[in-house]
Amino acid sequence: AQSVTQLDSHVSVSEGTPVLLRCNYSSSYSPSLFWYVQHPNKGLQLLLKYTSAATLVKGINGFEAEFKKSETSFHLTKPSAHMSDAAEYFCVVSEEGNTDKLIFGTGTRLQVFP
Amino acid sequence: DGGITQSPKYLFRKEGQNVTLSCEQNLNHDAMYWYRQDPGQGLRLIYYSQIVNDFQKGDIAEGYSVSREKKESFPLTVTSAQKNPTAFYLCASSISGLGANNEQFFGPGTRLTVL
């Protein structure tokens, strides 16, 4: 069965420093992978998605992620954090055999300090 | 504007009462979803519907019911059988079917508190 593991429940960075949010997935096939962001008491917004095209995926707000099949990873990065990046981030994988179903990680809360 | 609306934003109910959460979309999407979000647990799927007049149970369907009479609407009823209904509820929609790349679009959520 598919699953995603977000390796850090909390990440803290200073404004202007790089961001790394780690995600490993488990899947017996080549999945679709997503990163979503959620600001407090809001819905989720798609940051980026991987669907078997380029392995380096660029998203909104300067975020990008690299699909590494050998490491079963899909880590999210940004070169320079901004205060507005403080939010919860979810790594998500599609379910094999039912592409309408998504499986969510437990989330990583990103704090950005001035 | 195209999007998904959920109402109300905040909802308070007494224990033992049924309550219905509204979700409407004007994106012409076939598939709609209900998720429950609790702190530290990510999103868990309650019910989903891939087409009008059809829906399937998700991972935590007990104590909930849904209907899908119209493409645009997918209301969720939290019944008195749901043992711990206080949570943040999120509705989503997507283009359904193979090759649709299954990106889901989310509404703003409803925070339900049972007193």
Side-chain angles (χ1 to χ4, degrees):
Chain A
Q2 291 75 50
S3 65
V4 286
T5 302
Q6 293 186 242
L7 297 162
D8 306 292
S9 59
H10 290 85
V11 170
S12 297
V13 300
S14 297
E15 191 174 22
T17 64
V19 175
L20 170 64
L21 304 184
R22 299 182 294 164
C23 173
N24 286 104
Y25 70 92
S26 171
S27 178
S28 58
Y29 76 117
S30 185
S32 294
L33 289 158
F34 308 80
W35 275 99
Y36 280 86
V37 62
Q38 183 182 34
H39 288 91
N41 293 309
K42 303 288 187 188
L44 277 69
Q45 180 185 17
L46 181 70
L47 275 178
L48 50 81
K49 60 187 176 187
Y50 167 77
T51 54
S52 73
T55 56
L56 182 62
V57 183
K58 293 190 184 300
I60 62 171
N61 301 335
F63 284 94
E64 63 182 38
E66 186 171 7
F67 175 72
K68 292 187 176 180
K69 188 173 182 178
S70 61
E71 299 177 7
T72 62
S73 69
F74 190 58
H75 301 335
L76 181 71
T77 61
K78 182 173 180 178
S80 176
H82 191 271
M83 295 296 290
S84 60
D85 294 329
E88 185 125 24
Y89 292 79
F90 293 96
C91 183
V92 183
V93 65
S94 60
E95 183 174 278
E96 181 178 4
N98 185 353
T99 55
D100 281 338
K101 285 188 71 178
L102 299 181
I103 299 164
F104 287 76
T106 52
T108 297
R109 182 162 298 279
L110 176 65
Q111 284 185 303
V112 182
F113 294 104
Chain B
D1 287 336
I4 303 175
T5 57
Q6 291 185 243
S7 60
K9 187 173 177 66
Y10 297 96
L11 189 55
F12 297 88
R13 279 294 182 270
K14 291 183 180 178
E15 194 171 343
Q17 289 182 333
N18 292 357
V19 61
T20 297
L21 281 59
S22 168
C23 178
E24 304 276 334
Q25 56 99 359
N26 61 5
L27 300 168
N28 200 33
H29 286 167
D30 288 310
M32 296 186 75
Y33 312 80
W34 274 106
Y35 292 92
R36 171 183 171 134
Q37 185 177 23
D38 297 281
Q41 294 195 44
L43 274 67
R44 292 183 290 167
L45 183 64
I46 304 172
Y47 269 99
Y48 67 105
S49 167
Q50 292 171 302
I51 196 168
V52 174
N53 292 321
D54 189 38
F55 48 83
Q56 287 79 40
K57 292 182 179 180
D59 301 316
I60 55 164
E62 186 176 349
Y64 299 97
S65 66
V66 294
S67 63
R68 186 87 187 279
E69 296 175 2
K70 298 187 299 182
K71 188 175 186 178
E72 305 80 23
S73 179
F74 190 42
L76 172 75
T77 296
V78 184
T79 75
S80 56
Q82 168 49 234
K83 291 183 172 54
N84 185 18
T86 294
F88 191 50
Y89 291 87
L90 287 159
C91 179
S93 71
S94 71
I95 300 171
S96 183
L98 289 176
N101 80 35
N102 51 23
E103 171 187 347
Q104 293 185 12
F105 295 80
F106 284 81
T110 292
R111 185 165 297 281
L112 172 64
T113 302
V114 175
L115 306 171

